[in-house]
Amino acid sequence: ILCDENGVQIGIPQNNDPNLTISWTPFTFLSDTAVSNPIANPPQTTTYLLIVDNGTCFDTLTQTVIKDTISTTILGDSAVCSVDAPFLLSSITVGNATDYWWSNNANFSDTINTNPTTTSILVTPPDSLNLYYLSVTSALGCVAYDTFQMVVRDLQNPITASFDDPGVGCAPYLVNFVNTTDSLATTTYLWNFG
């Protein structure tokens, strides 16, 4: 089973007998077609045929590399206000997933969900930067991971801005606005001058 793009070793242990001829069919997506144990990295499930010939007789071996493609992405709001809790985190998974494990840390020592078929969760994080991790396992045992960052702010301390009267002047009239609030790192501003 091939889970990632690193490939998987196939074939039989290498024999350095100079009288042996090694060949593979198909020969595509193999690291070396002249050895009996190359790394296979096909883009889809592929059956390979190994032919070992000593000049008098030959033997064959058929081996199928099953390509298991699985990936996952966590979806949710990345900047939220605490009064809107709980927050929904959901996942989009490509491939045949059987187990979903959500956690607050990358080594999954504190899984959030108890049901491994949970594709989404509700979270009520503290007011701060929070990281969530998702591990998804396919029916064939391949694993995909994703990480999600959520910033939570307390509405007791809303993001506000106020300005002194800039006075009156003729165009072009330069006015400087300075934000002195404790804002989110990803805050953007939209100015509307009517």
Side-chain angles (χ1 to χ4, degrees), residues 68-73 91-97 100 136 138 144:
D68 187 16
T69 303
I70 188 164
S71 64
T72 192
T73 302
S91 65
I92 294 179
T93 302
V94 175
N96 186 14
Y100 295 79
V136 178
S138 74

Side-chain angles (χ1 to χ4, degrees), residues 29 56 65 104 121 126 140 144 163 167 178:
F29 306 107
T56 306
V65 175
N104 288 321
I121 58 169
L140 297 176
F163 307 100
V178 178

Side-chain angles (χ1 to χ4, degrees), residues 20-76:
L20 293 179
T21 302
I22 305 291
S23 61
W24 287 92
T25 184
F27 57 87
T28 54
F29 306 107
L30 295 176
S31 61
D32 188 342
T33 59
V35 297
S36 62
N37 58 349
I39 303 297
N41 196 3
Q44 69 273 339
T45 297
T46 303
T47 299
Y48 288 98
L49 175 66
L50 168 64
I51 303 168
V52 180
D53 188 344
N54 68 1
T56 306
C57 60
F58 68 92
D59 197 2
T60 62
L61 170 74
T62 301
Q63 191 166 7
T64 300
V65 175
I66 300 170
K67 178 72 174 196
D68 187 16
T69 303
I70 188 164
S71 64
T72 192
T73 302
I74 300 173
L75 304 174

